[in-house]
Structures are given as C-alpha cells and as structure tokens.
C-alpha cells in the first residue's frame, strides 16, 4: 500500500508547464478586427435583410468581402428603427484596416456616405490626454509642376521616340534648338501613350500601367491591370480606361484594396480608374459573344467619354446605350437608353465657347455664368423590316430627341463630328436596289442652327476617308471607283480622287471647291490650326507620296471668313511634294507648323525611322533607325488666353514679330560669327603649316652639297662571292 502511495506522490510532482505552454489557448480580448460604420440609412426591421445584402455587396466590390452574419445593427426600442450606425467584424485586423481605407467616405447612395472608425478608437479617444502639445512642423517640399514644359523660353514642343527597348524624349524647334530632353530607363513595356493634354506619358507593362510626368519624369501613378494591351484617357485627364484580352483573375493572397481588383471583378477585362487617387472605379466585360461561328470584333475605345468627363457610355449592339456618371460609375437615372437595333454612337464635342461656360460654372464663386450647356449624343440604327435606318440627335442628361433623319437603302453609317461641334457629317454607304453596287451620301447636320437643318452631298463613288477642317467649315474626302477596292492584290495601289468642300452661307449648302483626280492618297491630315492639309499614301508597299496643300494661298480671297471670289477653288495651291518610303503614320505637331511621318517596325521592317517636315513639305530631319516603333508629338492643353487677349495679340502682331525677328537675327549672327571664327582658325592653321613646311624645305636645300660629300666618304667596297655548280657526277664505290 505504501508503494502505491509513493507512486501517486511521484505523479503529482511531474512538471507539465512545457506542455501547458505549448497548447495554451490565447484569448484575444482586443477589438482590432471590429469597425464602427456610421452614415447607414435608418430603417425598420422589415428592410434589414435587403440593406445588409447591399452593404455586403458594396464592401465586396471594394475588395473587402463581408457576410451579413458579421454585422450587428443596434435598434432604438422606442421607435423600432435602427440608429444609423452598425458594427462590423472581420477575419483579422488587416482586413479591418483594408476596409477602413477603402470604405471611409464611400458614397453609399445619394443621401448617405459611410464614415468608418475602429472600435478601439472609442476607448482611446475617451482616455486621451487633453494636454496640448505643439506639433512639429514638417519642412515644406514643393511638388513639381506637371505642365512645366509649357514654360520653355523658346516655346518648343516635345516628341517621344520608341526604338528597340529605348525611349527618348526630344525638344523640337529651330534647328539650333533641337536637343534631347530626357532619356528614361523604362524597361519591359509594350508601347507609350501621351494623355490628351500632354500632362502624362503612360507605359504599358506586364503588371499594369505607369504614368510619368513633371520636369524630372518621376512616376505619378500606377494601375495594376496585368497583361494590359490598350489604354484610353478621358478628355480632361481625370480618368483612364485599361483593357486586356485576358480576363481578370484574383489569386488568393493578392493585395486587396481600392487600387486592386477584387473577386467580384473576376472574368471582366475592361477597367476604369481615377487618375488622381489611383482607385479602381468599375470593371466591365467586353466579351461580345458569338453569332453562329462568327465572333464580333470589339470596338475601341469600348467606352466613350463625354467632353466634360461627367459621363462615360458604352453600347450594347442592337439593344441599348448605357451611360454612367462619374466618379460613382452608377448608371445614370438607374436605367440605360433602350434603343432597338442601335449600332454606334458619338458624343458631340464642346466648342471653345461652351467649354468656357462649363469652366465658369465649375469655378467657385463664379457670378453671371450661364447655365452649362447639355451634352449631346448622336446615334444610328439600321433598317429593320419596314422601318428605315435612322440618325438621331439626343440631349443628355435631358434625354430629349432634338432631331431625327430617316435613311433608306443603307449598308453602313459613320459619324464624323467637327471638333467644335458645329457640324455632324453622317457618311452613309448606300446600295442600289439590286445590292450589287455601293455609293455614298454625306448627310450634314448644322447643329448650331435652329431645327438642325440637314444638307445632303450626293456622290457616285465610295468614300474611303473623311475629315473636317479644325474650327472650320470645310471638309475633305477621299473617294474611289477602283474595282480593286476591298480586294487589292499584292503591289496594287487603289486610284483615288481627293475633293474639298465648303459651306456656302449664301445658298446654305456645301459647295465643291476643287477635286484632285488620279491620286493614290488614302489619308487626309489637317493642320490643327486649319488651312494646311497633307494628303498621304499610307500603308502601301509601292507608293508613299506626301502632298502639301494650302487652302488659303490667295489671302485676298477671304474677308472676315467670307469668300468673295466666284472661283471658290482658286485659293487652293500645292506647296510641295515629298516621299517617305513605307510610311505608316502621319501626324502634325500641336503648333501646326511641322509634320512628322514615320515607318514603324510593327508594320514592316524596311527602312524604319521617322522624318520631320515643315508645312511646305521641306524635309528638316530624317532618321533611319532599326527596330523603330513609335513617334508621338506631345499634345498641348487649351490656351489660357481669353478671346480678347488673343485679339489684342493679333492686333499687335507686328510688334511681337519684330521682337522675334530680332532674336532670329541675333541667332543668325551668332551662327555666322562662330562659322567665321572656325574658318579663320582653319586658315591660320593652314598658313602655319605652309610656313613650317617652307622652312624645313629651305634648310634641306642648304645642306645638299655637304650631304653629297659626306655620302662619298662613307662609301665602302663590298665583295660578294658567288658559287656556281658547273657539273655534278655521282660515282658508286664498291667495297
């Protein structure tokens, strides 16, 4: 018995502390994973389930998944309604921090905005020391101005060149002012793209998009869209759209938050981002599906922006146009524009006058500003059964139909707005009743006039290109009746005609100014200032001509914008002809003084490179570069000068021009002085060499006699022995 007692005592003496420490259960008594959400709609219990579902959806859309069981909502027992706030539990503190960043100040609806706080903050603020401690003042570091390049003293423009794996950004001006501005070390990107006003330059990488800018070209923003292929900026540079042919996939463990995709975005491939914050606003899918065995081609841009950045719209072919508000990306008025059969649409551009009004209304404290003009949408629908094809002008957001025009025997329509929104040209490809041949009509809406009158220009040929003169009342077309059109063989160039038209204010129709027959031109490029135009043959393996034209060569033909001569086409004159073999791209610089042509290795590999011309067709620079890919002028924003200031400058243009002429003269004199100094130095070097040579030659002649005597004394007689074999006999000796 005593032995058993001893064993029991030994068991009680065993130390279990290491096992207890290993398997001890830690109880977390903190509330780091709990948030207080204020700004919640006050409801009764009958709407609780619906509200919680919507709240969970909003949090999940921002990359913070939450379930209704994780939400506790306090109730006011006296009224039977909620108190306007709730408590939300997350899996861990990291998820709670992500939700706090993503959802604080998030607009839940038009009347409610979420305000998020940590649960532990209540106790912290209650016990906070109220003794004032003066904060340390951080040293102010000024930010770089993103439009600093506009302050260049010479007023030069910039352009970017992408060759091989390298990017270079150049200044362009007078020959003496052209120089390298910056050579970045960007690596592993697809291509580059300027924003519409030139503030940013974007590079597309495998991981997403980077924006660069400022004098030091530092990174300004990034958008994490893997395998991105296309990018599109909004007109005012507030937003950007990215697209990839690969659907979005969110692997486990990937970062979550407002700047990243969430599980709800999986399967989509089009994303809308806020440039300033870098936040993802919404994603869409561009999978158009299949019709039989034929897959519909995606249009780009897939989203089309209103000119004031307030709306963005997309078309569902044959069904509707969906317009979303910015920055919430909510569907406007909670419904789409249901339009049966709709094919395509375009927003009307804002004129300079309308844009000034928009800026006045948007400015704080603006007095006397008129109501901002409504936006306008133009769309077309094809013929269906007994219904004709139709073009419609629609105000937005008012959604009022402003004008409709019925069209018959329509094969295809293209919408072309003039850049000030004064005119809309609908290029209508029509077929005959037998549908064996195609011809074209131009239906031109005069948008700024009462009842939107429509002028019709009937053509017998097919129009392959159409282009309005910027800020003008003229347009140019490329037309052809070449039977090879649509099916050109190798080495065959389509024969075309180029025609210019202008609005006749007296007869209220568009009159033909001039036709240039028997051309190979297939692209029209107007100068951004108007008047000058280049006709180019692009994408041909046999032709690469450039024609430079001036439509106001005879200045006296115009007085206050009105044509006073009966011969409308007399002012159209050719300025020059040029050629750039294999040209693939043609682009004017923002000033309208220079034209760049390039041959990209993305299209072919023969004589790749770029050339810069003046507006008369004189070649200023040509670079032949292997693996050349891109040339892009840097865009400029609208001028900050008012109309009156611009008029004053034009009025005093001679005084301003005198200053510039003096600068040009000084620069020319400096160049001449440097050239003269170089020539004088070369002449002095030549004269010094001649004098030195003569001196050396003279000294050589004085010593000739002494040298001859010395050479005789130095002579010595040398005998040379020569052996010659006369005969050779071989004898055998016997032992």
């Amino acid at each position: 018995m005593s032995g058993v007692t001893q064993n029991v005592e030994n068991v009680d003496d065993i130390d279990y502390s290491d096992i207890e420490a290993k398997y001890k259960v830690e109880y977390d008594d903190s509330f780091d994973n709990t948030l207080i959400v204020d700004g919640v709609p006050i409801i009764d219990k009958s709407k609780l389930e619906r509200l919680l579902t919507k709240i969970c959806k909003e949090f999940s859309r921002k990359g913070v998944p939450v379930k209704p069981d994780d939400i506790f909502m306090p109730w006011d027992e006296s009224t039977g309604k909620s108190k306007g706030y709730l408590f939300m539990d997350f899996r861990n503190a990291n998820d709670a921090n992500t939700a706090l960043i993503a959802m604080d100040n998030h607009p839940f609806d038009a009347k409610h905005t979420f305000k998020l706080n940590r649960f532990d903050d209540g106790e912290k603020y209650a016990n906070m020391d109220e003794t004032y401690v003066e904060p340390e003042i951080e040293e102010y570091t000024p930010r770089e101005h993103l439009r600093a390049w506009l302050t260049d003293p010479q007023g030069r423009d910039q352009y970017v060149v992408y060759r091989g794996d390298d990017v270079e950004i150049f200044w362009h001006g007078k020959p003496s002012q052209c120089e390298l501005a910056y050579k970045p070390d960007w690596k592993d990107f697809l291509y580059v793209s300027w924003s519409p006003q030139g503030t940013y330059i974007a590079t597309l990488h495998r991981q997403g998009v980077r924006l660069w800018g400022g004098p030091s070209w530092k990174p300004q923003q990034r958008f994490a869209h893997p395998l991105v292929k296309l990018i599109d900026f909004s007109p005012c540079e507030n937003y950007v759209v990215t697209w990839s042919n690969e659907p979005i996939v969110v692997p486990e463990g990937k970062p979550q938050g407002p700047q990243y995709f969430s599980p709800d975005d999986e399967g989509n491939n089009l994303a809308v981002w806020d440039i300033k914050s870098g936040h993802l606003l919404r994603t869409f899918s561009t999978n158009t599906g299949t019709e039989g065995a034929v897959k519909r081609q995606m249009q780009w841009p897939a989203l089309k922006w209103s000119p004031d950045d307030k709306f963005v719209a997309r078309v569902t072919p044959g069904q509707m146009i969906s317009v979303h508000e910015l920055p919430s990306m909510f569907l406007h008025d909670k419904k789409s524009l249901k339009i049966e059969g709709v094919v395509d649409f375009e927003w009307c551009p804002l004129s300079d006058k309308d844009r000034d009004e928009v800026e006045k209304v948007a400015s704080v404290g603006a007095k006397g500003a008129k109501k901002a003009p409504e936006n306008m949408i133009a769309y077309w629908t094809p013929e269906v059964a007994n219904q004709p094809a139709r073009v419609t002008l629609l105000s937005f957001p008012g959604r009022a139909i402003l004008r409709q025009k019925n069209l018959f025997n329509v094969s295809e329509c293209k919408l072309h707005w003039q850049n000030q929104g004064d005119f809309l040209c609908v290029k209508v490809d029509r077929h005959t009743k037998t549908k064996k041949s195609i011809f074209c009509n131009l239906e031109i809406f005069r948008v700024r006039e009462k009842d939107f009158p429509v002028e019709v220009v009937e053509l017998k040929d097919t129009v392959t290109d159409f282009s309005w003169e910027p800020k003008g009342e003229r347009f140019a077309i490329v037309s052809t009746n070449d039977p090879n059109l649509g099916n050109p063989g190798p080495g065959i160039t389509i024969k075309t005609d180029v025609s210019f038209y202008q609005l006749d204010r007296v007869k209220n129709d568009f009159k033909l100014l001039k036709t240039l027959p028997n051309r190979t031109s297939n692209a029209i490029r107007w100068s951004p200032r108007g008047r000058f135009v280049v006709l180019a043959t692009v994408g041909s393996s046999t032709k690469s001509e450039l024609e430079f034209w001036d439509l106001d060569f005879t200045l006296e033909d115009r007085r206050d914008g009105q044509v006073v001569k009966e011969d409308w086409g007399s002012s159209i004159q050719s300025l020059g002809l040029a050629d750039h073999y294999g040209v693939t791209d043609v682009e004017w610089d923002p000033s309208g003084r220079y034209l760049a042509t390039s041959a990209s290795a993305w299209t072919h590999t023969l004589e790749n490179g770029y050339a810069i011309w003046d507006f008369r067709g004189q070649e200023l620079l040509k670079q032949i570069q292997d693996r050349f890919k891109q040339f892009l002028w840097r865009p400029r924003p609208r001028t900050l000068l008012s109309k009156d200031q611009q008029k004053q400058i034009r009025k005093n243009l001679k005084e301003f021009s005198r200053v510039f002429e003096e600068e040009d003269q000084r620069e020319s004199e400096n160049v001449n002085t440097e050239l003269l100094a170089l020539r004088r130095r070369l002449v002095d070097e030549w004269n010094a060499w001649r004098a030195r040579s003569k001196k050396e030659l003279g000294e050589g002649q004085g010593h000739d006699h002494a040298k001859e005597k010395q050479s005789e004394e130095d002579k010595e007689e040398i005998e040379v022995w020569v052996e010659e074999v006369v005969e050779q006999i071989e004898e055998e000796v016997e032992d």
Side-chain angles (χ1 to χ4, degrees):
M1 188 68 178
S2 61
V4 175
T5 303
Q6 183 68 28
N7 291 336
V8 172
E9 292 176 355
N10 292 338
V11 171
D12 293 338
D13 293 340
I14 296 176
D15 184 9
Y16 296 99
S17 59
D18 57 338
I19 299 176
E20 291 175 352
K22 182 177 180 180
Y23 294 101
K24 183 179 180 180
V25 178
E26 296 288 344
Y27 293 98
D28 186 5
D29 55 356
S30 69
F31 292 93
D32 292 343
N33 63 330
T34 303
L35 296 180
I36 304 173
V37 183
D38 203 355
V40 179
I42 298 176
I43 59 168
D44 54 34
K45 293 187 178 182
S46 63
K47 299 180 180 179
L48 176 61
E49 183 178 353
R50 183 179 175 186
L51 177 63
L52 294 184
T53 300
K54 185 175 180 182
I55 291 175
C56 292
K57 185 176 180 180
E58 289 291 315
F59 273 78
S60 297
R61 195 165 64 86
K62 289 291 184 178
V64 192
V66 67
K67 298 178 181 178
D69 294 340
D70 299 328
I71 301 175
F72 173 74
M73 181 176 291
W75 298 90
D76 188 342
E77 298 298 337
S78 61
T79 61
K81 293 187 177 182
S82 62
K83 294 185 177 182
Y85 63 91
L86 54 82
F87 301 94
M88 191 174 290
D89 291 330
F90 295 89
R91 292 178 297 178
N92 50 53
N94 290 334
D95 286 356
N97 291 334
T98 302
L100 183 65
I101 296 172
M103 299 301 293
D104 191 32
N105 291 320
H106 174 73
F108 181 65
D109 56 27
K111 297 181 179 179
H112 299 86
T113 301
F114 287 157
K115 301 289 184 181
L116 275 66
N117 291 282
R118 295 181 178 86
F119 187 86
D120 289 341
D121 287 349
E123 183 178 354
K124 181 180 74 172
Y125 294 140
N127 300 326
M128 186 174 62
D129 185 4
E130 297 185 4
T131 305
Y132 175 73
V133 178
E134 185 174 353
E136 296 182 3
I137 300 177
E138 296 182 3
E139 184 179 355
Y140 171 70
T141 304
R143 295 184 60 185
E144 293 183 342
H145 201 297
L146 296 179
R147 293 185 175 177
W149 94 95
L150 296 174
T151 62
D152 177 60
Q154 287 88 24
R156 296 174 294 179
D157 281 303
Q158 289 185 342
Y159 62 85
V160 62
V161 172
Y162 179 23
R163 173 195 179 191
D165 297 327
D166 299 325
V167 170
E168 292 178 322
I169 299 172
F170 291 91
W171 287 107
H172 178 73
K174 300 173 185 176
S176 61
Q177 298 173 346
C178 297
E179 59 183 343
L180 180 67
Y182 183 64
K183 185 174 181 179
D185 57 353
W186 306 331
K187 300 297 181 183
D188 301 326
F189 58 92
L190 192 61
Y191 63 89
V192 298
S193 176
W194 293 106
S195 59
Q197 299 179 20
T199 307
Y200 308 100
I201 187 170
T203 53
L204 280 70
H205 305 262
R206 183 177 180 83
Q207 298 83 3
V209 176
R210 294 297 298 265
L211 299 187
W212 314 79
S216 61
W217 298 95
K218 293 180 179 178
Q220 304 295 327
Q221 195 56 268
R222 59 172 294 180
F223 308 105
H225 191 166
L227 304 176
V228 61
K229 294 294 189 296
L230 296 175
I231 184 174
D232 180 52
F233 287 90
S234 66
C236 301
E237 299 184 340
N238 293 317
Y239 311 98
V240 66
V241 179
T242 57
W243 175 86
S244 173
N245 58 329
E246 298 292 335
I248 296 169
V249 177
V250 183
E252 292 186 8
K254 283 291 183 180
Q256 296 289 308
Q259 295 182 327
Y260 301 97
F261 293 128
S262 70
D264 286 350
D265 299 315
E266 290 193 324
N268 296 335
N269 58 352
L270 187 75
V272 183
W273 310 81
D274 185 292
I275 289 180
K276 292 181 180 178
S277 66
H279 289 180
L280 174 67
L281 301 181
R282 187 162 178 174
T283 59
F284 300 92
S285 174
T286 59
N287 294 328
T288 55
T290 57
E291 294 182 1
V294 180
K295 191 172 183 178
R296 236 185 253 167
Q297 186 177 4
M298 184 196 73
Q299 292 185 354
W300 187 258
L303 298 178
K304 297 183 180 181
W305 298 93
S306 66
D308 54 7
D309 273 17
K310 291 183 178 179
F311 306 101
V312 65
R314 64 193 299 247
V315 63
T316 303
Q319 300 179 31
M320 59 189 173
I321 299 174
S322 302
V323 184
H324 300 267
E325 301 174 347
L326 274 302
S328 66
M329 285 302 294
F330 293 151
L331 193 63
H332 179 265
D333 208 16
K334 299 182 180 181
K335 59 183 178 181
S336 299
L337 295 166
K338 301 289 185 180
I339 306 169
E340 184 179 356
V342 61
V343 177
D344 196 11
F345 75 99
E346 295 290 344
W347 291 94
C348 174
L350 281 179
S351 65
D352 290 341
K353 182 178 179 181
D354 290 342
R355 199 173 291 277
D356 291 339
E357 291 298 329
V358 170
E359 292 175 355
K360 285 182 181 179
V361 172
S363 62
V364 178
K367 295 182 180 180
K370 299 179 181 179
K371 183 180 178 181
E374 277 198 323
N375 284 295
M376 188 187 306
I377 293 176
Y379 64 87
W380 78 278
T381 55
E383 294 178 273
V384 178
N386 295 327
Q387 296 292 328
R390 183 172 295 159
V391 176
T392 304
L393 299 182
L394 182 80
S395 67
F396 200 87
R399 304 195 182 205
I401 294 178
L402 304 175
R403 182 72 157 87
Q404 286 186 328
K405 178 70 185 294
N406 292 337
L407 305 170
F408 300 91
N409 300 328
V410 175
S411 297
E412 181 68 27
C413 286
K414 292 292 183 183
L415 307 174
H416 300 274
W417 282 101
Q418 185 240 24
N419 72 330
Q420 294 291 299
D422 296 334
F423 304 98
L424 168 67
C425 175
V426 183
K427 184 177 77 71
V428 185
D429 291 333
R430 284 197 166 107
H431 54 76
T432 58
K433 293 183 178 180
T434 60
K435 298 185 178 182
K436 291 183 178 180
S437 59
I438 299 291
F439 62 98
C440 184
N441 278 8
L442 304 179
E443 308 276 343
I444 303 176
F445 293 73
R446 295 159 64 178
V447 178
R448 303 299 178 188
E449 301 181 25
K450 185 179 179 180
D451 297 330
F452 303 90
V454 180
E455 313 301 335
V456 181
V457 178
E458 296 184 354
L459 304 168
K460 296 181 179 180
D461 299 334
T462 301
V463 175
T464 59
D465 194 22
F466 177 98
S467 183
W468 284 104
E469 178 186 22
K471 299 183 179 181
E473 297 179 343
R474 294 180 289 207
F475 64 84
I477 62 171
V478 176
S479 59
T480 182
N481 57 5
D482 195 317
N484 294 313
L485 179 66
N487 189 26
I492 295 178
T493 302
I494 303 299
K495 291 292 183 181
T496 61
D497 297 337
V498 180
S499 303
F500 299 98
Y501 290 81
Q502 178 166 346
L503 177 63
D504 185 346
R505 289 286 182 180
V506 177
K507 298 182 179 180
N508 286 328
D509 65 357
F510 282 85
K511 188 170 183 177
L512 176 65
L513 299 179
K514 192 169 188 175
T515 297
L516 308 175
N518 299 323
R519 295 301 199 271
T520 59
S521 306
N522 54 16
I524 304 166
R525 298 292 185 267
W526 287 95
S527 163
R529 303 292 182 183
R531 178 176 173 175
F532 300 103
V533 65
V534 168
L535 310 177
T537 305
V538 177
S540 173
S541 59
T542 56
K543 296 286 185 178
S544 50
E545 297 174 350
L546 303 170
E547 298 185 39
F548 294 79
W549 290 84
D550 181 359
L551 270 66
D552 292 331
F553 186 80
T554 310
L555 296 179
E556 59 268 21
D557 285 352
R558 287 180 166 271
R559 295 175 187 169
D560 299 327
Q562 299 296 324
V563 178
V564 297
K565 282 192 174 183
E566 293 184 0
D567 185 4
W568 286 62
S570 62
S571 63
I572 302 178
Q573 295 291 333
S574 174
L575 299 179
L577 295 174
D579 189 276
H580 186 166
Y581 178 74
V583 61
T584 58
D585 299 280
V586 181
E587 183 183 7
W588 285 92
D589 81 317
S591 71
R593 299 174 62 192
Y594 303 101
L595 179 88
T597 58
S598 57
S600 174
W602 288 331
T603 304
H604 61 78
T605 57
L606 300 175
E607 294 189 23
N608 300 128
Y610 65 93
I612 298 178
W613 319 75
D614 68 7
F615 67 94
R616 298 168 300 175
Q618 299 295 316
E619 185 180 285
L620 305 177
L621 173 69
K622 189 166 187 178
Q623 295 286 338
I624 302 298
Q625 300 177 339
D626 292 336
R627 299 194 302 157
F628 168 84
K629 299 174 183 176
Q630 254 185 309
F631 179 103
L632 294 173
W633 291 106
R634 187 173 193 174
R636 282 178 172 259
R638 289 178 65 232
T639 178
L640 298 178
L641 299 177
S642 65
K643 293 290 185 182
D644 294 336
Q645 290 173 322
Q646 294 180 48
K647 288 181 180 178
Q648 192 67 21
I649 291 174
R650 293 191 187 98
K651 183 179 179 181
N652 302 322
L653 191 59
K654 291 184 178 180
E655 297 180 10
F656 290 109
S657 62
R658 188 180 302 113
V659 175
F660 295 121
E661 288 171 0
E662 291 175 357
E663 291 180 359
D664 292 343
Q665 182 65 27
R666 285 196 297 270
E667 182 178 348
S668 176
E669 290 175 356
N670 291 336
V671 172
N672 293 336
T673 302
E674 293 174 1
L675 181 61
L676 183 60
L678 174 63
R679 290 176 177 174
R680 283 177 177 172
R681 182 173 60 81
L682 294 175
V683 170
D684 292 341
E685 291 177 357
W686 165 254
N687 290 333
W689 179 83
R690 286 190 64 190
R692 191 167 56 250
S693 299
K694 285 182 178 180
K695 184 178 180 181
E696 293 174 356
L697 185 60
E699 292 176 353
Q701 290 176 351
H703 293 286
D704 283 348
H705 182 68
K707 287 181 179 179
E708 291 176 1
K709 185 177 181 180
Q710 182 69 27
S711 62
E712 291 177 358
E713 293 176 355
D714 293 341
K715 287 180 180 179
E716 63 181 65
E717 193 171 328
I718 301 174
E719 294 181 359
V720 179
W721 292 82
V722 179
E723 294 183 358
E724 183 179 356
V725 179
V726 178
E727 185 178 1
Q728 183 175 353
I729 301 173
E730 293 182 2
E731 295 182 358
E732 293 183 3
V733 180
E734 296 180 0
D735 294 339

